[in-house]
Amino acid sequence: GDSVTQMEGPVTLSEEAFLTINCTYTATGYPSLFWYVQYPGEGLQLLLKATKADDKGSNKGFEATYRKETTSFHLEKGSVQVSDSAVYFCALLTTSSGTYKYIFGTGTRLKVLA
Amino acid sequence: DTGVSQNPRHKITKRGQNVTFRCDPISEHNRLYWYRQTLGQGPEFLTYFQNEAQLEKSRLLSDRFSAERPKGSFSTLEIQRTEQGDSAMYLCASSSTEVSNTGELFFGEGSRLTVL
Protein backbone atom coordinates (compact mmCIF):
# COMPACT_ATOMS: atom_id res chain seq x y z
CA GLY A 1 0.00 0.00 0.00
CA ASP A 2 0.89 3.65 -0.13
CA SER A 3 3.35 4.81 2.51
CA VAL A 4 5.71 7.58 3.61
CA THR A 5 9.15 7.10 5.12
CA GLN A 6 11.01 9.95 6.75
CA MET A 7 14.29 10.18 8.57
CA GLU A 8 14.27 9.47 12.24
CA GLY A 9 15.02 12.19 14.71
CA PRO A 10 15.70 13.96 16.75
CA VAL A 11 17.70 16.36 14.67
CA THR A 12 19.64 18.90 16.72
CA LEU A 13 21.14 21.93 14.98
CA SER A 14 22.67 25.21 15.94
CA GLU A 15 20.92 28.39 14.89
CA GLU A 16 21.62 29.39 11.29
CA ALA A 17 22.62 25.85 10.30
CA PHE A 18 21.34 24.19 7.13
CA LEU A 19 18.48 21.74 7.53
CA THR A 20 17.53 18.71 5.48
CA ILE A 21 14.85 16.24 6.51
CA ASN A 22 14.53 13.33 4.12
CA CYS A 23 11.20 11.95 2.97
CA THR A 24 10.48 9.23 0.45
CA TYR A 25 7.16 7.78 -0.56
CA THR A 26 5.53 4.77 -2.16
CA ALA A 27 2.32 5.35 -4.03
CA THR A 28 0.37 4.30 -7.07
CA GLY A 29 -0.68 7.09 -9.34
CA TYR A 30 0.35 10.67 -8.74
CA PRO A 31 -0.09 11.74 -5.14
CA SER A 32 0.08 15.26 -3.80
CA LEU A 33 2.83 15.72 -1.23
CA PHE A 34 2.83 17.80 1.93
CA TRP A 35 4.93 18.84 4.88
CA TYR A 36 3.07 19.51 8.10
CA VAL A 37 4.56 21.01 11.24
CA GLN A 38 3.54 20.59 14.86
CA TYR A 39 4.87 23.20 17.26
CA PRO A 40 4.92 22.35 20.97
CA GLY A 41 1.42 22.33 22.40
CA GLU A 42 -0.24 23.04 19.05
CA GLY A 43 -2.07 21.11 16.36
CA LEU A 44 -0.64 20.07 13.01
CA GLN A 45 -0.55 22.79 10.40
CA LEU A 46 0.40 22.80 6.76
CA LEU A 47 3.91 24.06 6.04
CA LEU A 48 4.07 23.53 2.28
CA LYS A 49 2.82 21.32 -0.51
CA ALA A 50 3.43 20.20 -4.10
CA THR A 51 0.86 18.63 -6.37
CA LYS A 52 2.88 17.34 -9.33
CA ALA A 53 6.35 16.26 -10.36
CA ASP A 54 9.04 18.96 -10.26
CA ASP A 55 6.80 21.34 -8.31
CA LYS A 56 8.58 23.17 -5.52
CA GLY A 57 6.64 24.06 -2.40
CA SER A 58 7.94 26.85 -0.20
CA ASN A 59 6.92 28.71 2.93
CA LYS A 60 8.69 30.49 5.81
CA GLY A 61 12.10 29.82 4.22
CA PHE A 62 11.43 26.08 3.91
CA GLU A 63 11.44 24.38 0.53
CA ALA A 64 10.74 20.92 -0.87
CA THR A 65 10.76 19.66 -4.45
CA TYR A 66 8.55 16.83 -5.71
CA ARG A 67 10.97 14.35 -7.30
CA LYS A 68 9.08 11.63 -9.11
CA GLU A 69 12.19 9.82 -10.32
CA THR A 70 13.46 9.32 -6.77
CA THR A 71 10.01 9.34 -5.13
CA SER A 72 11.25 11.93 -2.67
CA PHE A 73 10.12 15.21 -1.13
CA HIS A 74 12.99 16.33 1.10
CA LEU A 75 12.49 19.38 3.31
CA GLU A 76 15.25 22.01 3.37
CA LYS A 77 15.94 25.34 5.00
CA GLY A 78 19.07 27.36 4.55
CA SER A 79 19.25 28.90 8.02
CA VAL A 80 17.19 27.54 10.89
CA GLN A 81 16.02 29.55 13.87
CA VAL A 82 15.19 28.52 17.42
CA SER A 83 11.54 29.12 16.58
CA ASP A 84 11.70 26.32 13.98
CA SER A 85 11.96 23.75 16.77
CA ALA A 86 9.01 21.44 16.17
CA VAL A 87 8.03 18.05 14.79
CA TYR A 88 7.84 17.84 11.00
CA PHE A 89 5.61 15.32 9.20
CA CYS A 90 5.80 14.35 5.55
CA ALA A 91 2.49 13.27 4.07
CA LEU A 92 0.86 12.25 0.82
CA LEU A 93 -2.68 12.45 -0.49
CA THR A 94 -3.58 9.29 -2.34
CA THR A 95 -6.61 8.95 -4.56
CA SER A 96 -5.63 5.67 -6.16
CA SER A 97 -8.54 3.72 -4.71
CA GLY A 98 -11.07 6.38 -5.58
CA THR A 99 -11.03 7.79 -2.08
CA TYR A 100 -9.07 10.70 -0.66
CA LYS A 101 -6.75 9.50 2.10
CA TYR A 102 -3.82 11.34 3.67
CA ILE A 103 -0.94 9.14 4.84
CA PHE A 104 1.66 10.53 7.23
CA GLY A 105 5.22 9.65 8.08
CA THR A 106 6.32 9.09 11.65
CA GLY A 107 7.60 12.62 12.10
CA THR A 108 11.04 14.11 12.67
CA ARG A 109 11.68 16.22 15.74
CA LEU A 110 13.90 19.25 15.15
CA LYS A 111 15.60 21.05 18.00
CA VAL A 112 17.45 24.26 17.22
CA LEU A 113 19.89 25.57 19.81
CA ALA A 114 20.72 29.23 20.23
CA ASP B 1 -14.09 30.55 10.48
CA THR B 2 -13.27 29.24 13.91
CA GLY B 3 -11.20 26.26 12.77
CA VAL B 4 -11.69 22.61 13.64
CA SER B 5 -12.94 22.11 17.17
CA GLN B 6 -12.65 18.92 19.22
CA ASN B 7 -14.20 18.01 22.55
CA PRO B 8 -13.31 16.99 25.12
CA ARG B 9 -9.65 17.94 24.97
CA HIS B 10 -8.72 15.33 27.52
CA LYS B 11 -10.61 12.27 28.71
CA ILE B 12 -9.49 9.91 31.47
CA THR B 13 -11.47 6.71 31.76
CA LYS B 14 -11.26 3.27 33.27
CA ARG B 15 -10.71 0.20 31.17
CA GLY B 16 -13.99 -1.18 29.87
CA GLN B 17 -15.83 2.13 29.76
CA ASN B 18 -17.17 3.72 26.60
CA VAL B 19 -15.98 7.14 25.44
CA THR B 20 -17.20 9.51 22.74
CA PHE B 21 -15.33 12.35 21.07
CA ARG B 22 -16.88 15.10 19.04
CA CYS B 23 -15.44 17.03 16.12
CA ASP B 24 -16.83 20.20 14.56
CA PRO B 25 -15.09 20.82 11.23
CA ILE B 26 -14.71 24.09 9.41
CA SER B 27 -18.24 24.86 8.32
CA GLU B 28 -17.87 24.69 4.54
CA HIS B 29 -15.67 21.59 4.55
CA ASN B 30 -17.36 18.42 3.33
CA ARG B 31 -14.57 15.96 4.08
CA LEU B 32 -13.85 14.98 7.67
CA TYR B 33 -11.08 12.69 8.88
CA TRP B 34 -10.23 10.91 12.10
CA TYR B 35 -6.65 9.99 12.97
CA ARG B 36 -4.96 8.49 16.00
CA GLN B 37 -1.52 9.61 17.15
CA THR B 38 0.63 7.97 19.78
CA LEU B 39 3.82 9.35 21.27
CA GLY B 40 6.61 9.57 18.75
CA GLN B 41 4.44 8.46 15.84
CA GLY B 42 2.70 10.18 12.98
CA PRO B 43 -1.06 10.40 12.60
CA GLU B 44 -2.55 6.99 11.79
CA PHE B 45 -5.62 7.03 9.53
CA LEU B 46 -8.82 5.73 11.11
CA THR B 47 -11.68 6.77 8.87
CA TYR B 48 -13.08 9.56 6.75
CA PHE B 49 -16.40 10.99 5.60
CA GLN B 50 -17.51 12.92 2.59
CA ASN B 51 -20.63 14.73 3.73
CA GLU B 52 -22.51 12.10 5.76
CA ALA B 53 -21.09 9.08 3.92
CA GLN B 54 -18.27 7.12 5.56
CA LEU B 55 -16.10 6.32 2.56
CA GLU B 56 -13.20 4.46 4.10
CA LYS B 57 -12.35 2.83 7.37
CA SER B 58 -8.95 1.49 8.32
CA ARG B 59 -8.72 -2.29 8.31
CA LEU B 60 -6.69 -1.97 11.48
CA LEU B 61 -9.65 -0.40 13.25
CA SER B 62 -11.27 -2.63 15.82
CA ASP B 63 -15.05 -3.08 15.70
CA ARG B 64 -15.08 -1.37 19.10
CA PHE B 65 -14.55 1.89 17.20
CA SER B 66 -17.41 3.56 15.40
CA ALA B 67 -17.75 6.97 13.82
CA GLU B 68 -20.75 8.90 12.56
CA ARG B 69 -21.45 12.12 10.77
CA PRO B 70 -25.24 12.09 10.66
CA LYS B 71 -25.96 15.42 9.00
CA GLY B 72 -22.70 15.96 7.22
CA SER B 73 -21.59 18.51 9.76
CA PHE B 74 -20.12 17.45 13.11
CA SER B 75 -18.83 13.94 13.71
CA THR B 76 -18.51 11.64 16.69
CA LEU B 77 -16.00 8.88 17.35
CA GLU B 78 -17.05 6.30 19.92
CA ILE B 79 -14.80 3.72 21.49
CA GLN B 80 -16.58 0.93 23.31
CA ARG B 81 -15.05 -1.20 26.06
CA THR B 82 -11.87 0.84 26.12
CA GLU B 83 -8.51 -0.86 26.55
CA GLN B 84 -5.21 0.59 27.75
CA GLY B 85 -3.90 0.30 24.20
CA ASP B 86 -6.51 2.83 23.11
CA SER B 87 -4.67 5.56 25.00
CA ALA B 88 -3.66 8.09 22.35
CA MET B 89 -4.40 11.48 20.88
CA TYR B 90 -7.41 11.36 18.57
CA LEU B 91 -7.17 13.96 15.83
CA CYS B 92 -9.91 15.31 13.64
CA ALA B 93 -9.25 17.13 10.40
CA SER B 94 -11.34 18.57 7.60
CA SER B 95 -10.90 19.63 4.00
CA SER B 96 -12.91 20.94 1.10
CA THR B 97 -13.58 19.46 -2.31
CA GLU B 98 -13.89 22.87 -3.92
CA VAL B 99 -11.85 23.16 -7.12
CA SER B 100 -9.89 26.02 -5.65
CA ASN B 101 -8.96 23.98 -2.60
CA THR B 102 -5.29 23.25 -2.24
CA GLY B 103 -5.85 19.82 -0.72
CA GLU B 104 -4.86 21.12 2.67
CA LEU B 105 -6.08 19.27 5.73
CA PHE B 106 -7.00 21.48 8.67
CA PHE B 107 -6.47 19.80 12.03
CA GLY B 108 -8.07 20.31 15.40
CA GLU B 109 -5.96 20.29 18.54
CA GLY B 110 -6.96 16.73 19.34
CA SER B 111 -8.65 14.81 22.12
CA ARG B 112 -6.28 12.98 24.41
CA LEU B 113 -7.57 9.69 25.80
CA THR B 114 -6.02 8.06 28.84
CA VAL B 115 -7.32 4.62 29.76
CA LEU B 116 -6.43 3.50 33.29
Side-chain angles (χ1 to χ4, degrees), chain B residues 11-74:
Chain B
K11 178 73 175 179
I12 301 173
T13 190
K14 292 182 179 179
R15 185 164 52 97
Q17 298 296 304
N18 299 344
V19 298
T20 299
F21 300 114
R22 175 179 170 127
C23 173
D24 289 272
I26 293 171
S27 58
E28 64 269 24
H29 285 183
N30 52 357
R31 289 200 184 116
L32 185 148
Y33 296 77
W34 285 100
Y35 286 84
R36 176 170 59 192
Q37 186 177 22
T38 54
L39 195 62
Q41 298 298 313
E44 174 193 11
F45 173 81
L46 295 180
T47 188
Y48 96 97
F49 295 83
Q50 182 156 321
N51 300 312
E52 67 275 8
Q54 187 173 18
L55 296 189
E56 187 166 343
K57 183 175 176 179
S58 170
R59 286 171 289 175
L60 301 176
L61 203 59
S62 160
D63 58 7
R64 297 183 296 104
F65 287 71
S66 62
E68 294 184 340
R69 195 183 183 197
K71 297 183 180 179
S73 56
F74 74 91

Side-chain angles (χ1 to χ4, degrees), chain B residues 79-108:
Chain B
I79 309 173
Q80 296 182 324
R81 305 181 302 280
T82 53
E83 302 172 356
Q84 289 185 326
D86 297 332
S87 296
M89 180 74 85
Y90 290 86
L91 302 174
C92 178
S94 68
S95 70
S96 170
T97 57
E98 290 294 318
V99 172
S100 59
N101 179 255
T102 61
E104 179 178 357
L105 261 186
F106 293 81
F107 280 87

Side-chain angles (χ1 to χ4, degrees), chain A residues 25-79:
Chain A
Y25 67 90
T26 301
T28 53
Y30 304 96
S32 294
L33 301 174
F34 305 82
W35 278 100
Y36 279 79
V37 60
Q38 187 170 30
Y39 297 104
E42 298 184 15
L44 278 82
Q45 55 188 276
L46 180 68
L47 179 61
L48 54 84
K49 73 173 187 72
T51 58
K52 61 183 186 298
D54 300 325
D55 266 3
K56 178 185 283 188
S58 61
N59 186 26
K60 299 181 180 180
F62 290 89
E63 293 184 339
T65 301
Y66 190 142
R67 300 288 187 197
K68 185 169 181 288
E69 63 278 11
T70 54
T71 61
S72 64
F73 192 55
H74 304 321
L75 182 68
E76 296 182 335
K77 187 175 186 181
S79 176

